[in-house]
């Protein structure tokens, strides 16, 4: 059921809380947090190490569930969905770029990019055909058959970005996409991200420590004491 209150938002967290238990102690990481991501916008989430940025991204991406509150993806509350329903919705509407790329080591660059389509049921040959223009777009047409171990850090991150876009998602969630790269490569990857955003109008949520990266995005938020403040 579409929820009319979320109109315009491709992704929304409403009154979300998340705690972790550590021995006797309960760690309240997110407290009644709200966030709305509008179609096509770019958004930075900043905050100290351990403030809960990855926790929030995992909840937004349906990789983990909040203790309370709701996550709306394209109008549907994903928190009550069964695992297979959630996986299907995530596959169609969301892309994810992990902090350490999470490419499958035994598969080539193009096979990694094609993987979300194969999971969706497309024949591997067709999936490769759809993956190829994305690898070209990120400048890796000469590296399609390389496995991740034979790619540089920046190249791996570009493969991960291509993979996150292959299913034409409404929104891509990126956890420190430039975090492990040298300054020049980080600037190139950021430029690529912004170019894709302009061309495809896909919304992007970037977790970043880098104020220069954040300065290039539409909105900036700081995660402190479990809540987001607009900067
Ligand atoms: N599965 C877990 N069990 C217990 N505590 C956890 C778990 N996952 C995360 N935490 C704790 O929750 C807090 C937030 O973790 P999170 O990974 O979201 O931080 P972060 O803001 O992404 O940090 P960084 O900038 O270092 O990546 C940390 O203190 C961490 O120790
Ligand atoms: Mg993190």
């Amino acid at each position: 059921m579409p929820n009319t209150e979320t109109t315009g938002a491709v992704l929304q967290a409403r009154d979300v809380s998340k705690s972790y238990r550590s021995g006797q102690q309960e760690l309240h990481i997110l407290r009644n947090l709200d966030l709305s991501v509008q179609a096509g916008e770019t958004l930075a989430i900043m905050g100290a190490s351990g403030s809960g940025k990855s926790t929030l991204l995992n909840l937004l991406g349906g990789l983990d569930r909040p203790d309370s509150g709701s996550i709306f993806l394209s109008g549907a509350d994903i928190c009550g969905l069964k695992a297979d329903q959630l996986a299907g919705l995530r596959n169609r509407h969301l892309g994810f770029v992990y902090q350490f790329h999470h490419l499958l080591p035994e598969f080539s660059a193009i096979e990694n990019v094609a993987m979300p389509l194969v999971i969706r049921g497309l024949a591997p040959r067709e999936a490769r055909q759809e993956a190829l223009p994305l690898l070209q777009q990120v400048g890796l047409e000469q590296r399609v058959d390389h496995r991740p171990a034979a790619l540089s850090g920046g190249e791996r991150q570009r493969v991960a970005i291509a993979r996150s876009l292959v299913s034409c998602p409404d929104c891509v969630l990126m956890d420190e996409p430039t975090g492990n790269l040298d300054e020049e490569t980080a600037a190139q990857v950021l430029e690529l991200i912004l170019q894709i955003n302009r061309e495809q109008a896909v919304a992007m949520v970037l977790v970043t420590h880098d104020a220069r990266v954040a300065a290039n995005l539409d909105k900036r938020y700081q995660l402190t004491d479990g809540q987001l403040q607009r900067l």
Side-chain angles (χ1 to χ4, degrees):
M1 269 295 278
N3 184 310
T4 48
E5 287 172 63
T6 64
T7 304
V10 290
L11 189 58
Q12 192 175 51
R14 202 184 292 168
D15 205 19
V16 160
S17 295
K18 179 77 181 174
S19 301
Y20 292 116
R21 179 164 287 285
S22 162
Q24 294 297 322
Q25 211 189 359
E26 187 139 41
L27 300 166
H28 298 282
I29 306 300
L30 305 178
R31 303 167 186 255
N32 307 105
L33 177 145
D34 293 301
L35 177 67
S36 234
V37 185
Q38 302 299 313
E41 76 178 354
T42 56
L43 200 148
I45 295 177
M46 308 184 74
S49 179
S51 59
K53 303 180 300 296
S54 294
T55 301
L56 172 59
L57 220 60
N58 289 341
L59 296 180
L60 289 172
L63 302 171
D64 196 4
R65 289 174 195 263
D67 299 333
S68 60
S70 305
I71 308 283
F72 294 93
L73 174 58
S74 300
D77 186 352
I78 62 173
C79 297
L81 296 180
K82 297 203 180 87
D84 57 336
Q85 292 174 312
L86 176 59
L89 203 66
R90 201 166 54 206
N91 182 282
R92 283 192 303 280
H93 294 284
L94 278 185
F96 216 102
V97 177
Y98 298 87
Q99 195 161 1
F100 300 102
H101 64 74
H102 281 228
L103 298 175
L104 298 167
E106 65 275 31
F107 290 96
S108 67
I110 194 160
E111 287 167 341
N112 267 283
V113 175
M115 194 59 71
L117 300 178
V118 174
I119 289 170
R120 194 191 280 191
L122 217 66
R125 206 187 142 87
E126 283 173 54
R128 282 177 65 109
Q129 274 169 7
E130 296 212 14
L132 186 58
L134 280 152
L135 274 176
Q136 288 167 338
Q137 188 176 5
V138 301
L140 292 178
E141 60 272 34
Q142 307 297 328
R143 300 283 188 280
V144 290
D145 293 319
H146 281 51
R147 291 194 178 180
L151 296 169
S152 74
E155 288 170 344
R156 286 177 206 160
Q157 209 55 322
R158 283 188 275 158
V159 173
I161 290 169
R163 179 181 58 180
S164 78
L165 291 161
V166 76
S167 50
C168 301
D170 305 321
C171 184
V172 180
L173 305 171
M174 303 192 184
D175 200 347
E176 292 275 2
T178 61
N180 308 298
L181 306 176
D182 64 75
E183 212 168 301
E184 196 182 324
T185 311
Q188 287 169 0
V189 169
L190 174 65
E191 188 43 51
L192 174 69
I193 289 168
L194 294 173
Q195 184 197 334
I196 289 167
N197 169 259
R198 284 192 300 269
E199 288 173 359
Q200 300 177 18
V202 49
M204 293 180 169
V205 180
L206 269 76
V207 166
T208 182
H209 281 110
D210 190 337
R212 287 168 302 181
V213 171
N216 281 283
L217 307 186
D218 297 327
K219 293 178 183 168
R220 282 154 291 284
Y221 292 90
Q222 174 87 23
L223 184 54
T224 319
D225 298 330
Q227 299 215 320
L228 287 171
Q229 286 168 324
R230 180 95 184 258
L231 297 174

